[in-house]
Amino acid sequence: MKKFSIVIAGGGSTYTPGIIMMLMDSLDRFPIRSLKLYDNDAKRQEIIAKAVAIALKKVAPQVEFSYTTNPEEAFSDVDFCMAHIRSGGYPMRELDEKIPLRHGVVGQETCGPGGIAYGLRSIPDIVELIDFMEKYSPQCWMLNYSNPASIVAEACRVLRPHARIINICDMPVGTLRRMSYIVGKTPKDLDVKYFGLNHFGWWTSVKGKDGTDYMPQLIDYVSKNGYLTQKAIETQHMDESWQATHKKAADLQAVNPDCLPNTYLKYYLYPDYVVEHSNPDYTRANEVMDGREKKVFGAAQSIIEAGEFRGSEFEIDNHAAFIVDLARAIAYNTHERMLCIVENKGAISNFDPHAMVEVPCLVGSDGAEPLCQGDIPTFQLGMMQQQVAVEKLVVEAYCEHSYQKLWQALTLSKTVPSAKVAKELLDDLIEANKEFWPELR
Ligand code: NAD
Ligand code: G6P
Ligand code: MN
């Protein structure tokens, strides 16, 4: 049986240990011979890598493990690159969130002006990873979590149209898990229909394998409680601010009563509410730096200091399970059904064929094949046309170094009230991102 070789790009990510633990848990169904970490921040990566080395010695000593900041070493002889880089790190995320709030606008990692700013930082870095992969392991697949996934996916479509990359998001997976709790099933028992853009979509069907339609029950539940559930064994999306987001889904559901919303729609449907409930001095980036980052790096440090892995320091979650399932689906051509971010090509029949959309796909050795979701209603179509134009303008602005197009992108975002605010915001974002963005003319 073939054993696979994997590189994790963004080795120093807070999600790296969880993915590795999941990979080790899955060795019988997805065997691995080599695992490498790659990062452009040697010091950050080293902490995770040293702890992982100790853990692997205990749980899977047969897997060859190494870490590097050298692209050739990292990307040579690999079958899969699991990528989750954060261009600019948490300090830039903090600015993405705080600068818009200073202008009374939603400050969010992937939505609105913050997502646009992050997008312009991510594009060159992801393109660089693709180029390393194609140079050193042309057969390799990149499974990419790096955000903002919608803008990153559009940039890949435009700049590297033939790349073997699949862009993914864990939010629908996490929410499906919550749905499965509500109806007393497991996620693997459920088949869904879904359409949208990344962090911008709706479920139109949730059914059991036997055909049982769970939509009426879910709609009733979500209209009252959002996606807050009693049972929740998740490690991800559990902080108080996330609980508020799950709860807010009730108000999202009210706008489109026939379908179930992605939680991220709150930034577009209730931006005024979001701004009112944000603390401009302490945003999600601060929560993450004080929370997940400290927790994961603290756990790594304690393993290093003890020189020993007890087995429970790192947690496995949906996020890790999804990317391992995806790799496995490609490796064994399983045609498992999963939500991926792909070029529309008619899957949403009445929507731009060249938009990058998030829809159920069959995943196999040729990648992700989108499943037809048919026509979508006018309300969602209108919202998606506006948002996809924002995303396309960001990529055009990047390619053409165009100040004008980036101003248009910000102006068009549903989160921004006027061209005036958009311009003021843009000038602040340019200043904050001058180390990362192309010079705009
Ligand atoms: P993190 O800052 O802890 O980790 C990112 C790592 O990437 C860091 O170690 C950093 O040094 C490294 N890095 C940055 N630029 C790089 C480059 N050009 N080349 C190589 N390495 C580079 O961040 P995190 O919170 O763990 O999140 C990682 C990424 O995963 C983010 O983009 C986040 O938005 C994304 N994410 C996406 C989803 C999704 O649904 N798609 C879910 C969770 C996280
Ligand atoms: C969800 C989204 C990701 C996003 C993450 C943010 O999982 O799908 O795209 O990166 O939430 O979580 P955080 O805990 O970093 O705010
Ligand atoms: Mn996501």
Side-chain angles (χ1 to χ4, degrees):
M1 199 173 183
K2 177 175 173 165
K3 291 189 174 182
F4 297 93
S5 169
I6 293 177
V7 59
I8 298 182
S13 159
T14 55
Y15 294 96
T16 295
I19 291 176
I20 293 177
M21 290 301 115
M22 188 71 217
L23 283 168
M24 296 309 122
D25 240 37
S26 313
L27 284 173
D28 54 342
R29 48 188 209 109
F30 184 56
I32 294 171
R33 64 181 163 84
S34 156
L35 175 64
K36 296 187 257 190
L37 303 188
Y38 168 73
D39 205 289
N40 63 359
D41 181 339
K43 271 171 99 180
R44 185 180 177 89
Q45 171 166 263
E46 186 167 54
I47 301 167
I48 300 294
K50 284 190 162 163
V52 165
I54 294 168
L56 289 186
K57 213 183 273 171
K58 177 163 177 181
V59 302
Q62 75 282 13
V63 175
E64 203 180 299
F65 175 71
S66 62
Y67 58 101
T68 179
T69 55
N70 177 325
E72 181 171 0
E73 252 173 66
F75 286 88
S76 295
D77 182 34
V78 284
D79 302 301
F80 292 97
C81 170
M82 296 179 172
H84 51 203
I85 61 169
R86 183 182 287 288
S87 306
Y90 292 126
M92 287 309 296
R93 175 177 180 176
E94 188 178 357
L95 292 179
D96 292 343
E97 294 168 349
K98 290 186 176 174
I99 291 172
L101 285 171
R102 290 211 294 262
H103 296 266
V105 171
V106 167
Q108 215 280 324
E109 178 193 20
T110 62
C111 302
I116 292 172
Y118 187 13
L120 284 184
R121 293 197 303 277
S122 290
I123 294 170
D125 289 6
I126 298 295
V127 168
E128 182 184 67
L129 291 184
I130 291 174
D131 290 349
F132 290 148
M133 171 176 91
E134 294 190 336
K135 181 166 180 197
Y136 299 116
S137 286
Q139 294 309 308
C140 181
W141 278 95
M142 186 175 299
L143 313 179
N144 182 49
Y145 264 136
S146 313
N147 266 322
S150 54
I151 293 171
V152 165
E154 171 64 8
C156 293
R157 187 188 72 83
V158 171
L159 297 169
R160 294 295 181 272
H162 305 296
R164 288 160 77 99
I165 178 168
I166 302 182
N167 293 289
I168 51 167
C169 172
D170 64 14
M171 196 73 242
V173 181
T175 303
L176 186 67
R177 171 90 84 117
R178 288 173 177 270
M179 292 179 190
S180 76
Y181 294 149
I182 295 166
V183 303
K185 295 279 161 190
T186 73
K188 298 262 184 207
D189 296 329
L190 302 173
D191 274 331
V192 308
K193 291 194 174 190
Y194 182 98
F195 70 83
L197 311 170
N198 178 237
H199 290 184
F200 202 104
W202 294 264
W203 284 266
T204 55
S205 166
V206 180
K207 285 187 174 175
K209 298 285 181 198
D210 61 356
T212 309
D213 182 1
Y214 292 112
M215 279 302 267
Q217 187 185 345
L218 286 167
I219 285 173
D220 180 59
Y221 185 95
V222 174
S223 70
K224 294 176 187 136
N225 313 290
Y227 295 115
L228 271 187
T229 53
Q230 293 298 320
K231 183 177 165 197
I233 52 166
E234 262 67 34
T235 54
Q236 219 191 343
H237 308 140
M238 291 301 286
D239 289 347
E240 219 172 287
S241 56
W242 268 109
Q243 302 297 354
T245 293
H246 298 312
K247 187 153 178 252
K248 190 69 185 165
D251 293 335
L252 305 176
Q253 204 274 328
V255 181
N256 299 103
D258 301 338
C259 23
L260 293 165
N262 188 300
T263 54
Y264 276 89
L265 287 164
K266 83 169 187 180
Y267 299 108
Y268 303 97
L269 292 174
Y270 296 99
D272 47 355
Y273 168 92
V274 168
V275 172
E276 268 167 47
H277 289 80
S278 299
N279 178 351
D281 301 319
Y282 194 84
T283 58
R284 180 64 190 156
N286 300 108
E287 285 181 9
V288 173
M289 286 185 276
D290 292 341
R292 183 173 71 243
E293 189 183 37
K294 282 214 165 78
K295 196 168 166 221
V296 172
F297 280 81
Q301 289 288 12
S302 72
I303 293 169
I304 296 167
E305 278 157 29
E308 194 197 345
F309 179 62
R310 282 178 285 114
S312 56
E313 291 92 331
F314 296 135
E315 286 151 336
I316 294 181
D317 55 19
N318 284 314
H319 174 92
F322 182 33
I323 198 164
V324 174
D325 284 350
L326 184 69
R328 203 179 164 272
I330 295 171
Y332 297 114
N333 201 23
T334 65
H335 292 115
E336 190 177 337
R337 190 169 163 149
M338 297 168 169
L339 261 62
C340 303
I341 304 162
V342 292
E343 190 166 357
N344 183 26
K345 292 184 181 160
I348 301 170
S349 328
N350 53 345
F351 192 55
D352 180 353
H354 304 300
M356 294 303 285
V357 296
E358 195 163 76
V359 288
C361 297
L362 297 182
V363 182
S365 49
D366 289 334
E369 293 176 58
L371 292 168
C372 184
Q373 303 300 300
D375 282 353
I376 60 172
T378 307
F379 179 83
Q380 285 98 329
L381 182 64
M383 278 187 73
M384 282 168 57
Q385 278 167 338
Q386 179 180 15
Q387 177 61 19
V388 86
V390 172
E391 291 160 9
K392 285 179 177 288
L393 282 165
V394 173
V395 174
E396 288 177 22
Y398 173 84
C399 296
E400 299 165 25
H401 293 203
S402 168
Y403 180 97
Q404 192 72 32
K405 286 194 170 172
L406 202 57
W407 182 25
Q408 290 176 349
L410 285 159
T411 303
L412 197 56
S413 173
K414 201 163 160 28
T415 59
V416 177
S418 75
K420 174 175 174 283
V421 175
K423 198 168 212 294
E424 290 164 0
L425 250 167
L426 176 54
D427 291 336
D428 280 5
L429 292 172
I430 288 175
E431 182 57 29
N433 284 277
K434 48 179 189 239
E435 222 190 289
F436 301 94
W437 286 9
E439 201 174 324
L440 302 176
R441 298 181 288 264

